[in-house]
């Protein structure tokens, strides 16, 4: 595919990553095609890229030859300590005069501790910029052919994290259930039994359809559909686990209708 | 800025828009830099682009020389009739063997009638693909320096439409208020008085901070902050209106803290 002059003109108009500045940029949900042009431009300009673990190699390969890559992935470590370490590292590199890119999965402000990082940068007097990315929850539903909003079905959608659902002071799942609106859950696999129980205790019908979208938008994507009462057990049985997005609500049933109509009319869904 | 060979390699691996197929693709919230690489590749391949009204000219300029652009904007028309017309037009063009791109603002599945369009395509037996975009609600908050999620403040965020809030059978705003979680409202300016009243009647404190982000992520962006009780009147007074995103909740106060800390430390926020 040819790259238009209009594309180069567009890139030329984008902001410049200055030495001593830090950009927090969303890399999207996994599929490199869901990277934004701003993220692409940021990757091309950075001296150093502090990136999450789940960033695709084809995205990291876009970096300039002189750029250094640092994996800040927190898998298996102590999250809190590591988060403070990441913020400290960003400040340190900016003070060394580097062009610093903090490349985060999804959107930097959706359950990714991006708020903590900008507060740390602001406190240290480091100039920063935040660039949105496609968030995994919404992209996961698109990838699974679940219409996130559908006329006559829902007028809202709730993005929630399942992290900490086993701790006191967490989300009021019953109140979420009573809104009657669908849920899109991040980091919910570990506590999925608890969450499903709490939703049902709050009045959600046990037959409400749910879906787990594992490794959403990547070549490893797997989709499991079951009702909310059974979904956690079914996911264990089929070894469908983290990283995953969970969708709960009538919109999941619309997926079945869509696939059925498409199959009947021989309309394939292009992958 | 130089375009890496790795970028061209990446594009080469993307799907091909075949004659007779329709792709529904999100163009993001306004800023052309928030276009995805998949959207860019789709624009380069399309014979015909049926686009929403608010797509930036710099995005449309990326189209190939032979491509035809059709504005499907529904502003001021009868939405329902126009929506059926759009779906019919997509089917008609696909049957003519065109490579059809339906380019939608934001994300195709967030309050954009994308669900209706894929149902129509499936019913007609037209092969289709849906590509996520950056949704205006989340990008609007990033652009306004409002941390959409913040540790210790919220574990969920509710995306809701204000369209139809003056009709019976709409959203249960009181139930949304009782979740204690922040709201991000689309198409809410016309019914903002009603919505604010309903949220307060549901138990939301009248002092809860709110923000209107008008023309989010574009050069025309304007940000207004007030409490939920006063925000609709204040928006009228300052002529801040549609298109806009409204944020409601404690996360809006975090913006004030962030800007204050940054000002004290002389950390500018890069635009």
């Amino acid at each position: 595919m040819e790259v238009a002059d209009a594309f180069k003109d567009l890139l030329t108009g984008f902001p410049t990553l200055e030495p001593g500045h830090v950009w927090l940029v969303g890399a999207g949900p996994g599929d490199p095609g869901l990277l934004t042009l701003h993220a692409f431009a940021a990757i091309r300009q950075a001296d150093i890229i502090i990136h999450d673990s789940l960033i695709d190699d084809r995205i990291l390969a876009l970096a300039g030859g002189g750029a250094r890559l640092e994996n800040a992935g927190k898998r298996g470590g102590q999250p809190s300590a590591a988060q403070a370490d990441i913020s400290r590292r960003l400040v340190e590199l900016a003070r060394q005069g580097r062009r610093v890119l903090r490349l985060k999965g999804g959107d930097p402000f959706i359950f990714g501790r991006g708020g903590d990082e900008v507060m740390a940068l602001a406190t240290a007097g480091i100039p920063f910029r935040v660039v949105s990315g496609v968030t995994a929850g919404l992209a996961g539903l698109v990838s699974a052919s679940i219409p996130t909003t559908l006329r006559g079905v829902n007028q809202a959608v709730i993005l929630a994290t399942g992290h900490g659902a086993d701790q006191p002071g967490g989300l009021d799942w019953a109140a979420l259930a009573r809104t009657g609106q669908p849920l899109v859950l991040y980091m919910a696999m570990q506590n999925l039994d608890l969450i499903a129980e709490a939703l049902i205790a709050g009045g959600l019908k046990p037959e409400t359809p749910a879906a787990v979208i594992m490794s959403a938008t990547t070549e490893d994507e797997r989709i499991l559909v079951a009702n909310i009462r059974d979904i956690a057990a079914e996911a264990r049985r089929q070894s469908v686990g983290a990283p995953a997005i969970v969708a709960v609500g009538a919109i999941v049933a619309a997926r079945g209708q869509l696939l059925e109509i498409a199959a009947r009319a021989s309309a394939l869904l292009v992958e």
Side-chain angles (χ1 to χ4, degrees), chain A:
Chain A
M1 184 185 314
E2 150 210 12
V3 175
D5 286 340
F7 177 72
K8 290 177 196 159
D9 291 349
L10 193 58
L11 289 187
T12 308
F14 287 171
T16 301
L17 176 46
E18 304 284 355
H21 289 208
V22 177
W23 286 3
L24 263 73
V25 176
D31 178 351
L34 294 174
L35 197 74
T36 67
L37 301 185
H38 274 326
F40 170 70
I43 293 167
R44 293 298 298 159
Q45 294 182 74
D47 295 327
I48 182 150
I49 301 176
I50 312 288
H51 64 87
D52 285 353
S53 278
L54 291 174
I55 309 292
D56 193 284
D57 285 340
R58 289 165 293 176
I59 292 176
L60 298 177
L62 297 171
R68 183 164 142 196
L69 300 173
E70 254 182 52
N71 187 333
K74 293 183 290 178
R75 311 180 98 188
Q78 286 94 354
S80 298
Q83 184 55 54
D85 287 346
I86 294 171
S87 294
R88 254 197 304 273
R89 182 81 179 127
L90 296 176
V91 169
E92 174 186 56
L93 290 166
R95 289 192 173 144
Q96 289 170 9
R98 310 293 186 90
R99 297 174 177 85
V100 186
L101 171 57
R102 173 72 177 108
L103 192 62
K104 297 171 76 71
D107 179 277
F109 275 176
I110 296 288
F111 307 127
R113 307 287 293 270
D116 290 9
E117 292 174 15
V118 293
M119 288 290 183
L121 293 168
T123 303
I126 307 292
F128 64 90
R129 174 180 178 230
V130 185
V131 177
S132 298
V134 174
T135 184
L138 303 185
L141 270 64
V142 168
S143 191
S145 301
I146 299 170
T148 322
T149 66
L150 196 57
R151 197 168 46 108
V153 175
N154 63 315
Q155 294 104 24
V157 61
I158 302 173
L159 314 184
T161 177
H163 182 78
D166 53 347
Q167 306 290 322
L171 267 170
D172 183 349
W173 295 99
L176 297 186
R178 284 191 288 266
T179 64
Q181 301 297 321
L183 300 168
V184 175
L185 309 178
Y186 295 66
M187 293 170 282
M189 294 313 289
Q190 203 183 327
N191 294 321
L192 196 51
D193 290 283
L194 272 176
I195 293 169
E197 265 174 48
L199 290 171
I200 293 168
L204 193 74
K205 290 200 177 103
E207 296 76 29
T208 302
V212 177
I213 307 129
M214 178 182 175
S215 300
T217 83
T218 75
E219 281 89 353
D220 302 322
E221 179 173 293
R222 288 177 64 192
I223 301 167
L224 166 71
V225 175
N227 67 43
I228 186 66
R229 183 188 47 217
D230 304 331
I231 191 105
E234 197 58 33
R236 270 191 301 275
R237 208 177 61 80
Q238 299 194 25
S239 304
V240 172
I245 292 296
V246 180
V248 183
I251 54 171
V252 177
R255 171 184 192 260
Q257 290 162 19
L258 180 63
L259 296 185
E260 198 186 311
I261 291 169
R264 209 183 305 140
S266 309
L268 45 157
L269 276 67
V270 181
E271 293 303 322

